[in-house]
Each structure stands twice: as C-alpha cells, then as structure tokens.
Amino acid sequence: MANDASTVFDLVILGGGSGGYAAALRGAQLGLDVALIEKNKLGGTCLHNGCIPTKALLHAGEVADTAREAEQFGVKTSFEGIDIKAVHKYKDDVIAGLYKGLQGLVASRKVTYIEGTGHLSSPTSVDVDGRRVEGRHVLLATGSVPKSLPGLEIDGNRIITSDHALTLDRVPESAIILGGGVIGVEFASAWKSFGTDITVIEGMKHLVPVEDENSSKLLERAFRKRGIKFNLGTFFQSAEYTENGVKVTLADGKTFEAEVLLVAIGRGPVSAGLGYEEQGVAMDRGYVLVDEYMRTNVPTISAVGDLVPTLQLAHVGFAEGILVAERLAGLKPVPVDYDGVPRVTYCHPEVASVGITEAKAKEIYGADKVVALKYNLAGNGKSKILKTAGEIKLVQVKDGAVVGVHMVGDRMGEQVGEAQLIYNWEALPAEVAQLIHAHPTQNEALGEAHLALAGKPLHSHD
C-alpha cells in the first residue's frame, strides 16, 4: 500500500474532533507537517453532536421560559408553543457557521486534511480507505459515542441516545431520562422548557454526582420547583415497550412510563477494530492509557480526548492536543491539572465548578484543615434582577489557598473564568478580596464570597 504523501508527515492525527484538530492547528503553527484524518465531519462530537447543539437547544428553551414568564418583569407576552423544525434550523445554522469557519482555519494552516476511515496499521502509519499515511508520530483522537446498557435496545425512536435527541422531529409529551449526569440534566432542562413531562432516573444518590454535594442538592431543589421529577439511589433494571411508549423498571421494582426513554449514562471510547491493540497500545476497557504528557506505551503514539480516561470535555481535548503538538515540536509544555479545569453543566440553573469538592479536600488535607463558605445569590443585586437563586461555595485549606469554587445559578458558567484563575494561581481569599468587582454584576458575587472568607464580609452576614 503506497503512501500518497510526497513525504513522511511529522504528525498523523486519527480523528478530527476537539483534541485532534487542536493538535493539528497548533502543530502546523509550530512548523510541523501535519495530516489530519476524519471519517465524518471536522469538529467531531462537540461541534456536531455535543456541546454546540445541546447549548443551542438549551438557549431555545431559555427563550421559551422567558416568553412564558415575562409578565413577572412587567412585559406582556404570549407563548404559542415550540416549532421544533425552526428550533433545529436555528441549531443547525449555528453548527454550520462554526463548521465552515473551522474548515477554513484548518486549510489556512496548511494541514493536509484527509476524509476517510482510518486504521492504525503500524506504530507510524494509518491506513485510510486503501491509502497508507505515514508519519514520524501518530496521535490517536477517535473520541467517543453514547453508551448503553446490556439488553437495552436503542431504536432511535422510543429508546434513544443524545445523538437521536438532537434531531428528534417532535417534542415528546413525556420522557424518562436514564442518567442524572451532565447530559441527562441538560436534556431534562431543555425538554422541560419545551413542555415535556420529565422523570430523571439516577442510580447514585444525587444528580450531577461528581459535583460537590451542596451543588447537587441546590440543583435538585431547583428542579423540584420547575416540576422536573427524579428518582435517586436505585439503578435501572429493564425497559419494555408499551402501546404508546416505554416502561422502565428499576432494581427495587418501581416502574415509570413515558413516550420516550433517553439513555444518557455517559459516553464510551471509540477504539474497537481500529488496530490499537494489534500495534501494542496499552488499553483498559476500551480507553487508551497515557501518561501526563499524553504518551502511550508505544514511543511513536500519543492519544488525547475522550479516547483516554481523563475528563470528557471539549476544552480538555483542546489542551491535550496542544500539549502533544508542543511536545513534538520540542517545547516543554506543562501537564494538564485536571482539577484546575472549569466544569459547567448548562441546565437551568447552571452548575459550574473548578478545583476539588469539600469532601475531597477533607480527604486530602484532613477535616480540621478545611474551611467552607457559602454565599447565597440572594445577596447579589444582578441575580435578584434576573430572579435566579443559588449559591457560590468556596473550599479553602485553612490559612491557605482556595482549592474549590462551586457555583449554582443562572449564568454561573460565565463566572467560572475568574474562578479557574483563583484556583490555578493558588489565590488566598484576602488576595481576591482586594480586587474590585463591577457592581451590579453576578461576577461580584465571587468577590463578595472571598470578602466573607477573608473575614470582612460586605453584603452578607458575619
């Protein structure tokens, strides 16, 4: 099988999602000759089946809620329902614009883009539909797909994944959502705004179980107020069709019925049948194992993104891809601190965090060495104006740095930028407290929380 390239590439990337294309762009910027292979569309899950389309649906839901509730602000409106075709057009137009821009960006960096299904054929080559593409180094970035459970048959109509939900041609009257993590609660939020009767099934004891328990409880309270039902602490057992929908049975015998069942139990790596194991790449449950520099056990192969067992976030993929490109170009990149990565769940209200939970901090430092402070958004003028409720919770090592920031409330995802600087720069509460935050903004709630933690609260009680 001949190599069609005129020369051996410095870097061959298998997968054009967030991690893959970030590595391609940064590698080309640093003078590497890069080939980028993608079987579907450049941009991967985030652009086409994840971050962007789900946030478009959530924004459409926010507009619907605003129309319904505008009278509380003195604005008379009427809500006539959801035109799902128009919602999809809005969503698809957003995707198309970003997709076109990304294609132009890759072309402008002189990256060799190859469309086709790739297969790792040696530690330094990828076969693509009859072509062999050779490189001095190969980066595996084949991403992830929605997971299911044994015996749970996905039909794309009544029992669906998030991929199907993004193109569903109707607003379901009722839905059971299996999984109360990020994907599950975001769809619960959007569909509730569209008018769907929602029940979330989560086997763990809280929604968004990886977040600080206080954030989970605040979200659960908000969902109850919105009329979103959920069942916690019992795992799924089986699903069967009914005359008009689906019936779900839990391990304790409890049953639920709805028009559709959305399976949102997470995403699994795309690695089967791609030649990874045959070339000696170390794996675990389908994930490619890497060190802190994203190196596999094979010296010429690296891996990034959802394919590796790190946080499944697009911005993590970006960072990992950039790290690999810079390492191969001879720079000395710093490994990713995954605790320092901002995390946002874009439901209503939003859940945003960076750093570690209070429970984790006590485990690491000891319960007597950890200080936690909660600042209620009821004391924040802009939050009052927006009529959002929630809290900012700070976790601090006693007499030391803030090691966790956990926020619940509308637009909290926009506040996590400063929060990640506070964590990553190991700021002391007193150092943040002396910074002046604009008033009235939600951002000043972060400042107020640090004022309180520094022992000089302003708009909050001692």
PDB file of all heavy atoms in Angstrom, residues 342-346 350-353 407 409-417:
ATOM      1  N   PRO A 342     -12.141  24.120  34.371  1.00  0.00           N
ATOM      2  CA  PRO A 342     -13.516  24.522  34.685  1.00  0.00           C
ATOM      3  C   PRO A 342     -14.531  23.543  34.122  1.00  0.00           C
ATOM      4  O   PRO A 342     -14.365  23.035  33.010  1.00  0.00           O
ATOM      5  CB  PRO A 342     -13.649  25.900  34.030  1.00  0.00           C
ATOM      6  CG  PRO A 342     -12.585  25.943  32.987  1.00  0.00           C
ATOM      7  CD  PRO A 342     -11.472  25.076  33.472  1.00  0.00           C
ATOM      8  N   ARG A 343     -15.586  23.279  34.898  1.00  0.00           N
ATOM      9  CA  ARG A 343     -16.625  22.330  34.511  1.00  0.00           C
ATOM     10  C   ARG A 343     -17.980  23.041  34.615  1.00  0.00           C
ATOM     11  O   ARG A 343     -18.278  23.642  35.645  1.00  0.00           O
ATOM     12  CB  ARG A 343     -16.598  21.109  35.431  1.00  0.00           C
ATOM     13  CG  ARG A 343     -15.224  20.441  35.520  1.00  0.00           C
ATOM     14  CD  ARG A 343     -15.153  19.392  36.615  1.00  0.00           C
ATOM     15  NE  ARG A 343     -15.294  19.931  37.949  1.00  0.00           N
ATOM     16  CZ  ARG A 343     -14.290  20.394  38.692  1.00  0.00           C
ATOM     17  NH1 ARG A 343     -13.056  20.387  38.210  1.00  0.00           N
ATOM     18  NH2 ARG A 343     -14.507  20.846  39.912  1.00  0.00           N
ATOM     19  N   VAL A 344     -18.772  22.958  33.551  1.00  0.00           N
ATOM     20  CA  VAL A 344     -20.067  23.630  33.542  1.00  0.00           C
ATOM     21  C   VAL A 344     -21.147  22.675  33.050  1.00  0.00           C
ATOM     22  O   VAL A 344     -20.976  22.027  32.014  1.00  0.00           O
ATOM     23  CB  VAL A 344     -20.058  24.890  32.652  1.00  0.00           C
ATOM     24  CG1 VAL A 344     -21.396  25.623  32.782  1.00  0.00           C
ATOM     25  CG2 VAL A 344     -18.903  25.812  33.002  1.00  0.00           C
ATOM     26  N   THR A 345     -22.243  22.602  33.775  1.00  0.00           N
ATOM     27  CA  THR A 345     -23.442  21.907  33.323  1.00  0.00           C
ATOM     28  C   THR A 345     -24.469  22.987  33.006  1.00  0.00           C
ATOM     29  O   THR A 345     -24.857  23.765  33.882  1.00  0.00           O
ATOM     30  CB  THR A 345     -23.980  20.960  34.406  1.00  0.00           C
ATOM     31  OG1 THR A 345     -22.934  20.042  34.783  1.00  0.00           O
ATOM     32  CG2 THR A 345     -25.172  20.176  33.898  1.00  0.00           C
ATOM     33  N   TYR A 346     -24.899  23.046  31.736  1.00  0.00           N
ATOM     34  CA  TYR A 346     -25.652  24.197  31.242  1.00  0.00           C
ATOM     35  C   TYR A 346     -27.166  24.032  31.373  1.00  0.00           C
ATOM     36  O   TYR A 346     -27.922  24.484  30.520  1.00  0.00           O
ATOM     37  CB  TYR A 346     -25.283  24.461  29.786  1.00  0.00           C
ATOM     38  CG  TYR A 346     -23.846  24.881  29.602  1.00  0.00           C
ATOM     39  CD1 TYR A 346     -22.842  23.935  29.433  1.00  0.00           C
ATOM     40  CD2 TYR A 346     -23.483  26.222  29.622  1.00  0.00           C
ATOM     41  CE1 TYR A 346     -21.518  24.318  29.270  1.00  0.00           C
ATOM     42  CE2 TYR A 346     -22.168  26.618  29.477  1.00  0.00           C
ATOM     43  CZ  TYR A 346     -21.182  25.659  29.298  1.00  0.00           C
ATOM     44  OH  TYR A 346     -19.865  26.040  29.157  1.00  0.00           O
ATOM     45  N   GLU A 350     -27.617  26.850  36.038  1.00  0.00           N
ATOM     46  CA  GLU A 350     -26.336  26.259  35.679  1.00  0.00           C
ATOM     47  C   GLU A 350     -25.563  25.812  36.923  1.00  0.00           C
ATOM     48  O   GLU A 350     -25.712  26.382  38.010  1.00  0.00           O
ATOM     49  CB  GLU A 350     -25.492  27.270  34.892  1.00  0.00           C
ATOM     50  CG  GLU A 350     -26.053  27.548  33.511  1.00  0.00           C
ATOM     51  CD  GLU A 350     -25.199  28.505  32.700  1.00  0.00           C
ATOM     52  OE1 GLU A 350     -24.276  29.130  33.264  1.00  0.00           O
ATOM     53  OE2 GLU A 350     -25.478  28.640  31.494  1.00  0.00           O
ATOM     54  N   VAL A 351     -24.728  24.805  36.708  1.00  0.00           N
ATOM     55  CA  VAL A 351     -23.824  24.315  37.752  1.00  0.00           C
ATOM     56  C   VAL A 351     -22.408  24.469  37.218  1.00  0.00           C
ATOM     57  O   VAL A 351     -22.087  23.934  36.154  1.00  0.00           O
ATOM     58  CB  VAL A 351     -24.101  22.837  38.088  1.00  0.00           C
ATOM     59  CG1 VAL A 351     -23.136  22.354  39.169  1.00  0.00           C
ATOM     60  CG2 VAL A 351     -25.547  22.629  38.522  1.00  0.00           C
ATOM     61  N   ALA A 352     -21.574  25.218  37.905  1.00  0.00           N
ATOM     62  CA  ALA A 352     -20.206  25.461  37.437  1.00  0.00           C
ATOM     63  C   ALA A 352     -19.232  25.251  38.589  1.00  0.00           C
ATOM     64  O   ALA A 352     -19.542  25.579  39.741  1.00  0.00           O
ATOM     65  CB  ALA A 352     -20.065  26.877  36.881  1.00  0.00           C
ATOM     66  N   SER A 353     -18.068  24.708  38.279  1.00  0.00           N
ATOM     67  CA  SER A 353     -17.101  24.447  39.340  1.00  0.00           C
ATOM     68  C   SER A 353     -15.687  24.368  38.791  1.00  0.00           C
ATOM     69  O   SER A 353     -15.475  24.150  37.603  1.00  0.00           O
ATOM     70  CB  SER A 353     -17.431  23.134  40.062  1.00  0.00           C
ATOM     71  OG  SER A 353     -17.359  22.035  39.172  1.00  0.00           O
ATOM     72  N   MET A 407     -20.446  26.678  42.069  1.00  0.00           N
ATOM     73  CA  MET A 407     -21.466  27.704  41.864  1.00  0.00           C
ATOM     74  C   MET A 407     -22.718  27.107  41.229  1.00  0.00           C
ATOM     75  O   MET A 407     -22.628  26.294  40.303  1.00  0.00           O
ATOM     76  CB  MET A 407     -20.909  28.802  40.956  1.00  0.00           C
ATOM     77  CG  MET A 407     -19.619  29.421  41.481  1.00  0.00           C
ATOM     78  SD  MET A 407     -18.955  30.738  40.431  1.00  0.00           S
ATOM     79  CE  MET A 407     -18.290  29.775  39.067  1.00  0.00           C
ATOM     80  N   GLY A 409     -26.526  28.587  39.739  1.00  0.00           N
ATOM     81  CA  GLY A 409     -27.356  29.750  39.440  1.00  0.00           C
ATOM     82  C   GLY A 409     -27.299  30.042  37.958  1.00  0.00           C
ATOM     83  O   GLY A 409     -26.367  29.608  37.268  1.00  0.00           O
ATOM     84  N   ASP A 410     -28.268  30.772  37.440  1.00  0.00           N
ATOM     85  CA  ASP A 410     -28.228  31.136  36.023  1.00  0.00           C
ATOM     86  C   ASP A 410     -26.969  31.935  35.723  1.00  0.00           C
ATOM     87  O   ASP A 410     -26.552  32.791  36.509  1.00  0.00           O
ATOM     88  CB  ASP A 410     -29.468  31.961  35.656  1.00  0.00           C
ATOM     89  CG  ASP A 410     -30.725  31.110  35.612  1.00  0.00           C
ATOM     90  OD1 ASP A 410     -30.595  29.875  35.562  1.00  0.00           O
ATOM     91  OD2 ASP A 410     -31.831  31.682  35.642  1.00  0.00           O
ATOM     92  N   ARG A 411     -26.358  31.624  34.589  1.00  0.00           N
ATOM     93  CA  ARG A 411     -25.168  32.313  34.070  1.00  0.00           C
ATOM     94  C   ARG A 411     -23.901  32.070  34.890  1.00  0.00           C
ATOM     95  O   ARG A 411     -22.895  32.759  34.705  1.00  0.00           O
ATOM     96  CB  ARG A 411     -25.415  33.824  33.929  1.00  0.00           C
ATOM     97  CG  ARG A 411     -26.645  34.149  33.079  1.00  0.00           C
ATOM     98  CD  ARG A 411     -26.780  35.628  32.831  1.00  0.00           C
ATOM     99  NE  ARG A 411     -28.013  35.939  32.119  1.00  0.00           N
ATOM    100  CZ  ARG A 411     -28.386  37.155  31.741  1.00  0.00           C
ATOM    101  NH1 ARG A 411     -27.611  38.179  32.015  1.00  0.00           N
ATOM    102  NH2 ARG A 411     -29.527  37.361  31.110  1.00  0.00           N
ATOM    103  N   MET A 412     -23.917  31.092  35.766  1.00  0.00           N
ATOM    104  CA  MET A 412     -22.707  30.810  36.543  1.00  0.00           C
ATOM    105  C   MET A 412     -21.567  30.288  35.665  1.00  0.00           C
ATOM    106  O   MET A 412     -20.398  30.424  36.018  1.00  0.00           O
ATOM    107  CB  MET A 412     -23.008  29.815  37.667  1.00  0.00           C
ATOM    108  CG  MET A 412     -23.799  30.403  38.826  1.00  0.00           C
ATOM    109  SD  MET A 412     -22.942  31.749  39.684  1.00  0.00           S
ATOM    110  CE  MET A 412     -23.843  33.178  39.075  1.00  0.00           C
ATOM    111  N   GLY A 413     -21.915  29.693  34.515  1.00  0.00           N
ATOM    112  CA  GLY A 413     -20.874  29.257  33.592  1.00  0.00           C
ATOM    113  C   GLY A 413     -20.019  30.409  33.101  1.00  0.00           C
ATOM    114  O   GLY A 413     -18.852  30.226  32.748  1.00  0.00           O
ATOM    115  N   GLU A 414     -20.593  31.618  33.093  1.00  0.00           N
ATOM    116  CA  GLU A 414     -19.831  32.792  32.665  1.00  0.00           C
ATOM    117  C   GLU A 414     -18.923  33.322  33.781  1.00  0.00           C
ATOM    118  O   GLU A 414     -18.091  34.188  33.527  1.00  0.00           O
ATOM    119  CB  GLU A 414     -20.795  33.894  32.204  1.00  0.00           C
ATOM    120  CG  GLU A 414     -21.724  33.486  31.070  1.00  0.00           C
ATOM    121  CD  GLU A 414     -20.981  33.037  29.818  1.00  0.00           C
ATOM    122  OE1 GLU A 414     -19.907  33.600  29.532  1.00  0.00           O
ATOM    123  OE2 GLU A 414     -21.466  32.116  29.134  1.00  0.00           O
ATOM    124  N   GLN A 415     -19.111  32.841  35.000  1.00  0.00           N
ATOM    125  CA  GLN A 415     -18.292  33.301  36.130  1.00  0.00           C
ATOM    126  C   GLN A 415     -17.114  32.374  36.410  1.00  0.00           C
ATOM    127  O   GLN A 415     -16.248  32.715  37.221  1.00  0.00           O
ATOM    128  CB  GLN A 415     -19.153  33.417  37.395  1.00  0.00           C
ATOM    129  CG  GLN A 415     -20.464  34.152  37.219  1.00  0.00           C
ATOM    130  CD  GLN A 415     -20.335  35.475  36.493  1.00  0.00           C
ATOM    131  OE1 GLN A 415     -19.382  36.221  36.704  1.00  0.00           O
ATOM    132  NE2 GLN A 415     -21.279  35.752  35.621  1.00  0.00           N
ATOM    133  N   VAL A 416     -17.103  31.214  35.764  1.00  0.00           N
ATOM    134  CA  VAL A 416     -16.096  30.213  36.117  1.00  0.00           C
ATOM    135  C   VAL A 416     -14.704  30.582  35.600  1.00  0.00           C
ATOM    136  O   VAL A 416     -13.711  30.025  36.048  1.00  0.00           O
ATOM    137  CB  VAL A 416     -16.539  28.810  35.621  1.00  0.00           C
ATOM    138  CG1 VAL A 416     -16.239  28.604  34.136  1.00  0.00           C
ATOM    139  CG2 VAL A 416     -15.934  27.700  36.479  1.00  0.00           C
ATOM    140  N   GLY A 417     -14.642  31.565  34.689  1.00  0.00           N
ATOM    141  CA  GLY A 417     -13.333  32.002  34.197  1.00  0.00           C
ATOM    142  C   GLY A 417     -12.471  32.579  35.306  1.00  0.00           C
ATOM    143  O   GLY A 417     -11.299  32.228  35.462  1.00  0.00           O
TER     144      GLY A 417
END
